[in-house]
Amino acid sequence: GGEPLSSGRTRDAGGRSIFWHAVAREWSQVALSILSRFPPQAGDTGVNVREVHPQRGDTLLHLLCGRQRFNPQAAELFSNLLVAVPESILLRRNSNGQSFFHNAAARLNSWVLSHSVSSRSASARLVVEKDSAGWTPLALLARHMQRRAPPPPAPAMPQAAGPKKDTS
């Protein structure tokens, strides 16, 4: 085996942390273990919750909200990061002008939206902020919900009127 992990900030040759990779690869249990062993408040050895992708500008919150599977471990990880990130990271937009709310909305993850607003009230404004293409998270959510909704039922054909009865 290799050397034991001594910091939540250990980086690869590309400059991304082992914690970033665990989140990006959807290894929630591994990421939770790293976060538990190296909490952000541990200083130089703690996970860096301010980590941002150098080209895309994504934060760890963007990564979590863009995942294919958002299971209970991902929700736990998200909750822990949500309370740990400073407001500048909470409100940060990526290179497409998108907040993590845009990622959550595109994945129909309304839990992230409601949990964020109830846990960090500063995030509420993200719901209506447009990205570079002009989309708000609410508009994206509606768009993606419409795409997944079944088509509306065909209108019923009007009944042919039968002979009128004389009621006199």
Side-chain angles (χ1 to χ4, degrees), residues 51-136:
E51 191 167 1
V52 174
H53 191 278
Q55 287 83 36
R56 293 191 316 264
D58 288 334
T59 66
L60 290 161
L61 296 174
H62 284 88
L63 284 183
L64 265 171
C65 294
R67 28 183 325 144
Q68 295 289 333
R69 298 176 314 273
F70 199 88
N71 57 20
Q73 291 81 23
E76 181 182 351
L77 185 56
F78 179 82
S79 293
N80 286 318
L81 285 176
L82 186 65
V83 297
V85 297
E87 194 167 308
S88 61
I89 293 296
L90 180 75
L91 302 177
R92 186 175 175 96
R93 312 281 201 104
N94 66 16
S95 59
N96 293 324
Q98 296 177 326
S99 68
F100 72 94
F101 270 32
H102 288 88
N103 295 41
R107 295 277 181 208
L108 298 179
N109 194 333
S110 58
W111 179 85
V112 160
L113 303 176
S114 62
H115 182 66
S116 298
V117 170
S118 64
S119 300
R120 299 281 304 267
S121 60
S123 68
R125 72 184 215 204
L126 296 175
V127 173
V128 293
E129 289 188 356
K130 292 180 181 179
D131 65 11
S132 302
W135 288 94
T136 67

Side-chain angles (χ1 to χ4, degrees), residues 154-162:
M157 296 299 289
Q159 295 291 327

Side-chain angles (χ1 to χ4, degrees), residues 17-74:
S17 73
I18 190 165
F19 183 70
W20 179 278
H21 285 294
V23 172
R25 292 191 174 127
E26 301 191 14
W27 299 341
S28 298
Q29 209 51 55
V30 171
L32 283 166
S33 295
I34 294 169
L35 189 62
S36 173
R37 185 163 174 211
F38 304 105
Q41 60 272 27
D44 291 343
T45 61
V47 165
N48 180 8
V49 296
R50 291 178 166 92
E51 191 167 1
V52 174
H53 191 278
Q55 287 83 36
R56 293 191 316 264
D58 288 334
T59 66
L60 290 161
L61 296 174
H62 284 88
L63 284 183
L64 265 171
C65 294
R67 28 183 325 144
Q68 295 289 333
R69 298 176 314 273
F70 199 88
N71 57 20
Q73 291 81 23

